[in-house]
Amino acid sequence: MKKLLVFISAVFLFSSSLFSFEWGGMINNESKILFNGEDSIGYVQSNGANLWLSLPITKDNNWKLNSEISYKFDFGIVPKPIYFNNVINLPLLKVSGSANVGKNKIDLSFGRFKVSDYTSKIFNATADGLFVDFNSQSLELGCYVGYTGLTNRLAEVGFLDNNGALISSDGDFYVFEESYIPAIFTVAFPSLFANQTVTVQALASFDCSNNKNNKYYGTLGIGGPILSSLFYDFKTTFNTCKFNDVANLTSISFTFFAKKGIGVVLSADYASGSELCFDNFTTVTSFSVSDIFNIELSDVFVPSLSFLFTAKNFYAKLDVNGLFTIDDSIETQALLAKISSSMNVYSDFQLGFDLNALIPFNKSVATNIIGIVLKGAISF
């Protein structure tokens, strides 16, 4: 770890004497209070700092080296026992650039950076790898291959095991992530017809351990405008692990902009359980449908209604979600609600406030939970 810090420091010092570069950072605070049931109160305090650097490699700034290093300290009472966590991370160390091939363009990135699948729900993690993207007026081709085993699992949302449960992430400072090789291939047709975009994506996650937790996904998506102020987005994904099982994730959303700064989003997510011809759908990395209770995206139907409001320096969003399980029959499990807001007090100072609530209809799933989050960030 000391060698890593020395290396990052050397990059900053060496580059400052040879190149014109940009750098900056942020210091942030997050205080969270959880009210679980009638007499259970939890508290989590998180403080962090990060420093980023953008260094041009070529004179025309077409190729750049981008890096970021961060430190985070967590203190928690949830309600017992008290815990302390220290996390140091290198989430970004990437060389990227582009080249023109006739009227077409090829973008290339290699190194360590965040990667997400087309749905943003199945695979979302930092990895070391290579991304190539070909763009033309009528076609876009993207290919990514990477390796997760050298990243810090304490700074990630976490991977799921063979049973769809979150793999534990105990440790301090730096713990190597589970070893997976994600491979993603994407074909997109922008403005194929009536400004509609059609996307097809294949995702494979290869487990490098002896558990052989390999997962394969195929996604089809289509979206675009219905009217000048009404847009839709539809995605459906089929998943298999051993090629004798099939699961499905389907999402649809409609976004309506009533006027400038005001929007309404109506959406629904279906993740199959053991019904009809399907098995339980599982993601590669954890994706919880609740901010205050760990409910993975499997065997659930989640309809959502959101209201958006943006002003010059203020943003607010209200989300109301229903949670239904669908394994044997459709059962109402809980109502989820969240109010999130942020305000730029100054150009380099931001404050935020979140209010979460989970109201269960099935007491075997959870008790009433209310979460209050206060956030602040200063950039430099």
Side-chain angles (χ1 to χ4, degrees):
M1 185 53 58
K2 290 183 179 179
K3 292 182 179 179
L4 177 62
L5 293 175
V6 171
F7 171 74
I8 296 298
S9 300
V11 169
F12 276 85
L13 294 174
F14 179 73
S15 61
S16 64
S17 62
L18 296 180
F19 299 97
S20 173
F21 70 99
E22 297 179 351
W23 68 277
M26 178 179 293
I27 300 173
N28 58 71
N29 171 82
E30 181 176 293
S31 303
K32 181 186 296 184
I33 303 175
L34 292 176
F35 300 91
N36 188 347
E38 297 180 356
D39 54 2
S40 179
I41 299 177
Y43 177 78
V44 177
Q45 176 71 37
S46 298
N47 296 95
N50 64 10
L51 188 65
W52 60 265
L53 166 72
S54 179
L55 172 67
I57 299 176
T58 57
K59 292 183 179 180
D60 59 359
N61 290 336
N62 188 37
W63 287 85
K64 292 184 177 181
L65 168 67
N66 292 287
S67 63
E68 180 181 342
I69 187 170
S70 65
Y71 168 75
K72 182 181 178 183
F73 169 76
D74 292 332
F75 162 75
I77 307 173
V78 287
K80 292 180 180 180
I82 298 175
Y83 71 89
F84 300 89
N85 282 336
N86 295 279
V87 179
I88 189 167
N89 195 29
L90 181 67
L92 179 65
L93 186 61
K94 178 179 71 171
V95 174
S96 60
S98 62
N100 294 322
V101 181
K103 296 182 179 180
N104 305 317
K105 183 179 179 182
I106 296 178
D107 295 316
L108 177 68
S109 300
F110 62 91
R112 175 172 296 184
F113 50 93
K114 196 82 168 183
V115 180
S116 179
D117 75 293
Y118 176 56
T119 69
S120 300
K121 300 173 181 177
I122 299 170
F123 182 90
N124 188 12
T126 300
D128 300 300
L130 172 68
F131 175 70
V132 181
D133 188 50
F134 171 82
N135 286 278
S136 69
Q137 293 182 349
S138 59
L139 177 66
E140 180 179 352
L141 298 175
C143 182
Y144 175 82
V145 178
Y147 177 70
T148 65
L150 299 176
T151 60
N152 189 356
R153 74 159 62 177
L154 302 178
E156 297 290 324
V157 294
F159 284 79
L160 302 184
D161 61 18
N162 291 328
N163 299 318
L166 182 64
I167 299 174
S168 63
S169 56
D170 295 333
D172 213 14
F173 288 105
Y174 205 103
V175 178
F176 287 119
E177 183 58 271
E178 298 294 309
S179 297
Y180 289 91
I181 297 176
I184 305 174
F185 182 73
T186 308
V187 180
F189 301 93
S191 301
L192 186 62
F193 59 91
N195 290 324
Q196 308 297 299
T197 297
V198 177
T199 302
V200 179
Q201 185 177 84
L203 164 63
S205 175
F206 301 102
D207 185 3
C208 300
S209 69
N210 295 326
N211 295 325
K212 300 304 177 186
N213 186 21
N214 298 337
K215 298 177 182 179
Y216 310 92
Y217 303 84
T219 301
L220 171 65
I222 182 171
I226 300 175
L227 300 172
S228 60
S229 57
L230 179 62
F231 300 82
Y232 79 100
D233 186 30
F234 172 80
K235 300 182 182 75
T236 186
T237 300
F238 291 94
N239 156 234
T240 184
C241 296
K242 299 180 180 178
F243 296 101
N244 59 0
D245 58 316
V246 178
N248 178 252
L249 169 67
T250 296
S251 304
I252 188 169
S253 67
F254 297 92
T255 303
F256 174 68
F257 294 100
K259 60 180 182 179
K260 184 178 180 180
I262 300 177
V264 180
V265 181
L266 179 63
S267 62
D269 291 328
Y270 160 78
S272 65
S274 299
E275 73 276 349
L276 301 177
C277 60
F278 296 126
D279 289 301
N280 288 333
F281 184 86
T282 58
T283 57
V284 179
T285 56
S286 176
F287 183 89
S288 180
V289 299
S290 169
D291 286 348
I292 55 177
F293 193 75
N294 185 29
I295 305 171
E296 295 295 338
L297 193 61
S298 178
D299 183 29
V300 292
F301 173 66
V302 186
S304 304
L305 178 62
S306 302
F307 298 93
L308 312 173
F309 175 78
T310 58
K312 183 178 180 180
N313 297 317
F314 180 76
Y315 166 83
K317 183 180 180 183
L318 169 63
D319 295 302
V320 180
N321 305 332
L323 176 63
F324 300 83
T325 56
I326 51 178
D327 197 355
D328 297 321
S329 61
I330 298 178
E331 295 183 8
T332 305
Q333 298 294 341
L335 178 68
L336 311 172
K338 178 181 180 180
I339 298 174
S340 56
S341 63
S342 63
M343 180 174 63
N344 292 323
V345 182
Y346 300 104
S347 60
D348 55 359
F349 179 42
Q350 184 181 78
L351 291 175
F353 172 79
D354 294 349
L355 177 62
N356 296 276
L358 184 147
I359 304 173
F361 294 95
N362 184 347
K363 294 298 182 179
S364 64
V365 175
T367 59
N368 294 329
I369 302 176
I370 295 177
I372 299 173
V373 183
L374 299 175
K375 296 177 286 186
I378 299 175
S379 58
F380 55 90

